[in-house]
Amino acid sequence: MSNQPIKYSLSDFSGGDIVFRRKLVESDYRMHWHDCCELEVILSGSGVQRLNGVDYELSSGSIYLLTQADWHSIQVHEPLDVAGIMFDDNIISERLYERVLTYETLNKNLCSKLSGAGFRSVMGLLDALMCESGRGGDFGDMYACHIIECLIIEVLRCHVTSGAAVEKSPISRAVLYLHRHFSEDITLDALADLTHLSRSYFSELFRNATGHTFKSYLIDLRMRNACRLLANTDMSVTDVCFSCGFESFSNFMRTFKARIGSTPLGFRAGYKNIQE
């Protein structure tokens, strides 16, 4: 079996923007990613999750939030009872999602362990969500969205109380801007102007905060999106190239080969073979 990650999406489970599932995970999950957000709470059992290359022990009270940028796998030691929610990021407020992306873009995984009041609070929210999912009505989606936002806040609180809070800074604002505008013509000078810093000082702070140069970080964002479009759409390679912000087709082809190790069409064919 190939080690190339596979994709799960909301459409695999539902046609809506929110899917709430209670599941018993008895076998390992291979490396995969989602084209939506996912929040899961471990109710019982044990295992190990590898999230973006970092291993986390899973047991009762483990909680984690994944975005479209996250890759993870799960190794099961004892069957895991999991309460999970998959949702489109457009259902939560921009202000809250910005807080989530602040951790995401600075390479901090939102994976924690709940206990005491925090665990009781999350269980109450999950119970309320489960009850609401069976009620329907005009206010059902609105109610569910607010519960999901409260659950996300509980995840973020774990990181604040653990001392892992990420302060808003000129660099975090620049990184958030990159994630939202990477397909546009963005220059180092423009980002430095956005943060009111000199070009050289901005470059130094950016590399210290992210571990990458501005150019490398931007290319990574564009390549990640290109791979998703190639894997999940029938867009032509040319359309993928320019929709991801590359200035020329030849540059895109060289960069793709260097970063991914195959041509775009080779990558697409390999992905489809795995799916089949």
Side-chain angles (χ1 to χ4, degrees):
M1 179 183 293
S2 170
N3 290 324
Q4 182 174 342
I6 59 175
K7 175 193 74 96
Y8 294 102
S9 68
L10 279 172
S11 60
D12 295 330
F13 308 100
S14 167
D17 291 331
I18 302 171
V19 175
F20 178 69
R21 297 186 299 155
R22 178 82 177 270
K23 58 186 178 180
L24 185 66
V25 179
E26 299 181 281
S27 56
D28 297 351
Y29 274 13
R30 61 179 288 191
M31 188 67 68
H32 64 281
W33 60 278
H34 305 260
D35 68 355
C36 58
C37 294
E38 182 179 40
L39 188 150
E40 290 192 329
V41 181
I42 307 299
L43 305 181
S44 65
S46 66
V48 175
Q49 173 178 224
R50 170 154 286 195
L51 174 56
N52 299 323
V54 181
D55 288 342
Y56 297 91
E57 295 288 335
L58 295 178
S59 59
S60 177
S62 296
I63 185 171
Y64 47 90
L65 176 63
L66 311 174
T67 73
Q68 298 177 33
D70 296 317
W71 305 76
H72 77 139
S73 62
I74 292 178
Q75 183 180 20
V76 178
H77 295 162
E78 297 178 9
L80 294 162
D81 186 1
V82 184
I85 310 158
M86 298 176 71
F87 57 94
D88 195 297
D89 60 46
N90 65 17
I91 72 164
I92 61 176
S93 71
E94 183 174 326
R95 180 184 178 191
L96 181 59
Y97 196 53
E98 211 171 83
R99 294 291 295 270
V100 172
L101 282 182
T102 299
Y103 287 88
E104 183 77 53
T105 56
L106 297 181
N107 300 316
K108 294 184 180 292
N109 296 322
L110 290 173
C111 184
S112 304
K113 184 70 178 289
L114 296 166
S115 61
F119 184 71
R120 291 192 296 273
S121 176
V122 164
M123 291 305 297
L125 290 167
L126 290 173
D127 285 342
L129 185 60
M130 192 182 328
C131 291
E132 187 61 31
S133 65
R135 291 179 63 182
D138 295 338
F139 298 104
D141 287 347
M142 185 184 301
Y143 190 85
C145 289
H146 284 302
I147 292 177
I148 291 172
E149 288 196 334
C150 289
L151 286 166
I152 293 172
I153 289 171
E154 290 294 339
V155 176
L156 294 174
R157 277 178 171 165
C158 291
H159 287 260
V160 171
T161 56
S162 68
V166 178
E167 295 182 1
K168 285 228 172 181
S169 69
I171 299 306
S172 67
R173 289 196 299 272
V175 169
L176 289 169
Y177 184 87
L178 276 176
H179 273 248
R180 287 176 171 164
H181 301 279
F182 66 85
S183 62
E184 301 171 13
D185 183 16
I186 303 175
T187 65
L188 177 60
D189 288 332
L191 271 189
D193 289 343
L194 179 70
T195 56
H196 307 293
L197 299 172
S198 70
R199 176 189 173 100
S200 59
Y201 188 47
F202 172 83
S203 295
E204 179 184 352
L205 291 181
F206 189 92
R207 184 158 193 163
N208 289 340
T210 66
H212 299 273
T213 64
F214 156 77
K215 184 176 181 180
S216 175
Y217 197 98
L218 179 58
I219 290 174
D220 282 347
L221 286 177
R222 290 172 171 171
M223 291 303 301
R224 183 186 299 165
N225 196 56
C227 287
R228 286 181 177 146
L229 291 176
L230 288 165
N232 300 293
T233 74
D234 293 324
M235 291 174 64
S236 70
V237 174
T238 301
D239 288 342
V240 168
C241 162
F242 292 109
S243 68
C244 293
F246 288 92
E247 67 275 12
S248 72
F249 185 75
S250 59
N251 174 258
F252 171 67
M253 295 296 286
R254 285 194 304 271
T255 303
F256 198 97
K257 179 71 173 178
R259 298 273 180 134
I260 307 301
S262 71
T263 65
L265 288 179
F267 174 86
R268 172 175 275 168
Y271 184 87
K272 288 184 176 179
N273 286 338
I274 291 172
Q275 296 299 90
E276 293 170 358

